[in-house]
Amino acid sequence: MTDQTPSRPAYELPDSGALGAAALESLKAVEKANDRLGRVMAVVTAAAMRDILTDFDHSAPFDAARVQLVEGEDGSLFPTGRYWTAAGEERMFADADGLGAIHDMSEWTRYLSDENRDVWLPLCDELPDLDRRPTFALDLVKAAALPID
């Protein structure tokens, strides 16, 4: 079998300048979307804490100031059920409803991940590792104040 020089390219590509511009535009859009997702999910986490502690009565008082989140193997954050009041008192979701609440809350906190770490990390205090996993205390007051637009 002999090698033959192809008579034309195997496929056509856009101009390199146009391709580079499209790639850069796409990457910027993804970064913007990830930043917004991080902000929105931090606010949703604060709302979830309110809902858990007030049984969805949005006008009821509650005193959660920080919530513990642990980083999973995929870089996403998950609640442990531990939280702190404004006075610094440590509490846990104790009953079966609390365990369900943790599961429900993790549906949202899992979107707090490596892709938007620069959004949520400044809202956190680092805590000692939990089972060798990075652990954080998310400041709920700061999270609730983030713009979602």
Side-chain angles (χ1 to χ4, degrees):
M1 179 172 235
T2 60
D3 290 331
Q4 292 184 348
T5 304
S7 60
R8 60 187 169 91
Y11 47 85
E12 296 294 321
L13 289 167
D15 171 81
S16 359
L19 184 57
L24 185 58
E25 179 184 336
S26 297
L27 289 170
K28 285 181 180 181
V30 167
E31 183 178 342
K32 184 177 178 182
N34 280 330
D35 285 352
R36 181 162 194 249
L37 181 62
R39 287 192 313 275
V40 169
M41 290 306 151
V43 176
V44 167
T45 300
M49 283 297 298
R50 177 206 55 204
D51 292 346
I52 291 165
L53 296 175
T54 66
D55 197 25
F56 295 91
D57 179 354
H58 297 177
S59 63
F62 64 98
D63 195 22
R66 301 184 319 147
V67 63
Q68 185 178 51
L69 300 171
V70 65
E71 191 172 320
E73 290 182 21
D74 65 352
S76 299
L77 300 182
F78 296 93
T80 63
R82 177 172 284 121
Y83 68 98
W84 293 267
T85 66
E89 183 179 333
E90 183 179 315
R91 297 188 181 160
M92 288 289 292
F93 301 139
D95 56 19
D97 287 342
L99 295 176
I102 291 169
H103 175 73
D104 292 346
M105 192 173 168
S106 70
E107 291 295 319
W108 302 108
T109 61
R110 71 186 182 96
Y111 292 103
L112 298 172
S113 65
D114 285 335
E115 284 79 23
N116 48 43
R117 182 176 293 269
D118 59 329
V119 172
W120 59 261
L121 188 59
L123 307 175
C124 293
D125 293 320
E126 291 189 42
L127 300 174
D129 287 0
L130 184 63
D131 296 328
R132 293 186 250 187
R133 303 298 316 160
T135 305
F136 306 92
L138 175 67
D139 184 316
L140 296 167
V141 176
K142 289 179 182 176
L146 289 174
I148 59 173
D149 293 321

